Amino acid sequence: MAMSREAFGSRLGFILAAAGSAIGLGNMWRFSYQASEGGGAAFVLLYIAMTLLLGIPLLLAEFSLGRSARLGPVGALRQIGGRHWSRLGYIFTAAGLLILAYYSVIAGWTLRYALESLTGQLPADAGAHFGAIAAGNSAVGYHLFFMLLTIGIVMAGVRAGIERASLLLMPMLFLILLGLAIWAATLPGATAGYLKYLQPNVEDFLNPDVWRAAAAQAFFSLSLGMGAMLTFASYLSRDVNAPQAGTLVALTDFSVAFIAGLVVFPVIFSFALQSAVGASTVGALFIALPTAFSAMGPVGQAVGTFFFVALAVGAITSAISLLEVVTIWLIDEWQMNRKPAAALAGLTITALGIWPALNTDALGLMDKIAGELLLVFGTLMLAILVGWKAKSEMQAELEHGASTFWAAQVPRILAVLRWFVPPVVLVVLVFSARETWQMMLDFFG
Ligand code: PHE
């Protein structure tokens, strides 16, 4: 166990770090392709519902586990659930390892696009461009670069690295997106995009895959089911109003995704990019937006630069939390110091990421296995642990530091975690397992 454990310097620092973990490529890259693929507005509405009904209770479950144990996932689950539950911590650590391996590749595309926008080198045919750069040696290079940045920040530690980076970068990201959304509203033909995004089709609600995708997106976007939020909460002072902080983080994360949609959908429809977006799922954002930006000339160059810089910033603060889960395992369980632990974890992930950097289908498969199935499984287990096994302790933990209003909500939130979350997530897990299996057959078959 680490001797003197670091802590966040302020409540705001924690909220920004947790929001920084939540807000990332998931809000833009993943949200926009899931929304355009899976039923548009119906998906968006279900995603809101899932964020409120599943996301907030699960986020608070992670907060309570981390803050009461003051350990990373493996140690916290062992302390609260007993020896068997510590195995779940290993699954969390593995999920962090696998997610960051491909997440960093996408972040690498983002860095490349930021650079190419800045220097005016984004070609008009973004579809062909994406096809050329998505996989291969240069994708490996940008992935490596992104990982080195992330490793550097995590080596610096919670106060110096994570908190300071979040304090500065998260507000900047929000402002850039807001500006882009206002700009997008002025595009000719934006209305068709808003309709697709905001006017639901009744049939889409009857499709269980839209429900599965919405729940999985809520988990990925809130960084749930692999202990990232648990780990951040282990540095949190017990005086902080955790239910309020969690609700704030969830609403901020949702707002960023929603505003990202207000940028992406008008652009797609204004520039008639529907078929380009439909053709490649993982690349949708990276095909649609550069096409629009480069069609706009010098203005597009500036807007594109801002957009991809903002996206890279969001990706870094999320990547930090993924690497932190693996690093804290080495610190807490293997008594390593922070710097070598971050380096060892980071370099292992860098090596793992070479595969998705060389093969875009492998990237999609890893997103399905680690970014969806493992997270869905993880949230189910968390709901069972906090809703059933450790309910009274976790209730006391969440009430500690909460205002009267929020303390009164805690029993309700735990009731949702106990009765509502497990059955719903179990159904999601079944559909998700079926899809993952199908994807594996396609990939290896
Ligand atoms: N929530 C992050 C995003 O939306 C990704 C992430 C998932 C981070 C799981 C940590 C854990 O980009």
Side-chain angles (χ1 to χ4, degrees):
M1 199 181 299
M3 289 294 288
S4 73
R5 200 170 174 80
E6 286 186 275
F8 282 105
S10 65
R11 168 174 169 277
L12 182 66
F14 169 74
I15 291 177
L16 286 174
S21 166
I23 298 160
L25 296 167
N27 300 61
M28 288 168 251
W29 159 72
R30 205 171 190 284
F31 174 75
S32 42
Y33 95 70
Q34 294 282 329
S36 52
E37 188 182 70
F43 168 88
V44 177
L45 282 178
L46 286 172
Y47 161 70
I48 302 175
M50 300 293 190
T51 300
L52 296 177
L53 291 171
L54 306 178
I56 292 178
L58 284 161
L59 187 56
L60 295 181
E62 291 212 21
F63 280 4
S64 62
L65 291 169
R67 199 177 70 172
S68 74
R70 316 209 73 76
L71 291 168
V74 175
L77 292 169
R78 179 185 299 124
Q79 180 176 317
I80 290 157
R83 231 188 61 230
H84 292 306
W85 282 90
S86 71
R87 293 195 196 125
L88 182 63
Y90 293 113
I91 297 179
F92 284 1
T93 308
L97 210 85
L98 290 172
I99 293 175
L100 184 52
Y102 72 84
Y103 197 87
S104 166
V105 175
I106 304 157
W109 299 341
T110 310
L111 285 176
R112 180 192 186 113
Y113 274 45
L115 222 79
E116 287 176 340
S117 306
L118 184 68
T119 54
Q121 285 172 331
L122 265 188
D125 188 352
H129 183 59
F130 179 77
I133 62 100
N137 290 342
S138 76
V140 173
Y142 280 99
H143 154 65
L144 187 78
F145 180 58
F146 182 82
M147 279 307 301
L148 291 179
L149 277 176
T150 307
I151 293 169
I153 296 180
V154 172
M155 278 171 84
V158 175
R159 289 287 293 270
I162 299 173
E163 186 170 351
R164 199 168 304 154
S166 303
L167 267 170
L168 178 76
L169 299 177
M170 295 324 295
M172 185 179 114
L173 174 65
F174 201 78
L175 288 181
I176 291 174
L177 260 187
L178 216 57
L180 283 174
I182 293 168
W183 162 80
T186 66
L187 290 173
T191 317
Y194 291 134
L195 285 179
K196 168 80 179 162
Y197 186 48
L198 300 171
Q199 197 179 59
N201 255 331
V202 180
E203 311 94 77
D204 291 331
F205 284 112
L206 303 176
N207 181 354
D209 263 328
V210 177
W211 289 71
R212 171 199 54 77
Q217 177 61 21
F219 300 158
F220 186 92
S221 191
L222 280 174
S223 309
L224 293 174
M226 48 77 63
M229 292 300 188
L230 185 161
T231 305
F232 274 0
S234 75
Y235 307 115
L236 182 60
S237 149
R238 292 200 70 206
D239 302 328
V240 167
N241 188 343
Q244 184 199 42
T247 307
L248 249 163
V249 168
L251 294 180
T252 312
D253 181 58
F254 162 76
S255 313
V256 173
F258 189 75
I259 298 173
L262 291 177
V263 180
V264 170
F265 278 83
V267 167
I268 289 175
F269 280 80
S270 181
F271 291 87
L273 297 167
Q274 293 90 326
S275 68
V277 168
S280 159
T281 47
V282 291
L285 182 84
F286 293 90
I287 295 169
L289 289 184
T291 306
F293 294 147
S294 70
M296 290 170 353
V299 178
Q301 188 177 333
V303 176
T305 307
F306 280 128
F307 182 85
F308 288 113
V309 168
L311 194 55
V313 167
I316 284 238
T317 53
S318 300
I320 288 167
S321 73
L322 288 160
L323 181 56
E324 180 67 16
V325 168
V326 187
T327 304
I328 202 66
W329 173 61
L330 296 175
I331 294 176
D332 283 349
E333 301 289 313
W334 294 94
Q335 278 82 36
M336 283 180 77
N337 288 324
R338 173 166 284 275
K339 284 194 168 66
L344 177 64
L347 293 176
T348 309
I349 292 167
T350 307
L352 258 173
I354 292 175
W355 188 44
L358 293 174
N359 182 341
T360 314
D361 289 337
L363 190 155
L365 184 64
M366 286 175 86
D367 184 41
K368 194 42 96 192
I369 294 172
E372 182 176 311
L373 187 63
L374 285 183
L375 296 188
V376 173
F377 176 75
T379 54
L380 177 62
M381 290 296 137
L382 283 169
I384 292 171
L385 177 60
V386 175
W388 291 89
K389 194 167 162 46
K391 185 164 175 281
S392 45
E393 291 149 79
M394 293 306 116
Q395 174 161 346
E397 178 63 44
L398 286 173
E399 283 167 352
H400 194 280
S403 64
T404 326
F405 170 79
W406 287 103
Q409 310 310 315
V410 170
R412 296 188 186 132
I413 293 167
L414 282 167
V416 172
L417 208 56
R418 187 180 177 100
W419 298 108
F420 181 75
V421 178
V424 174
V425 178
L426 186 64
V427 174
V428 171
L429 183 65
V430 170
F431 278 97
S432 183
R434 214 184 58 171
E435 254 218 18
T436 309
W437 179 243
Q438 194 53 50
M439 221 169 146
M440 287 177 67
L441 288 181
D442 290 347
F443 186 86
F444 293 108

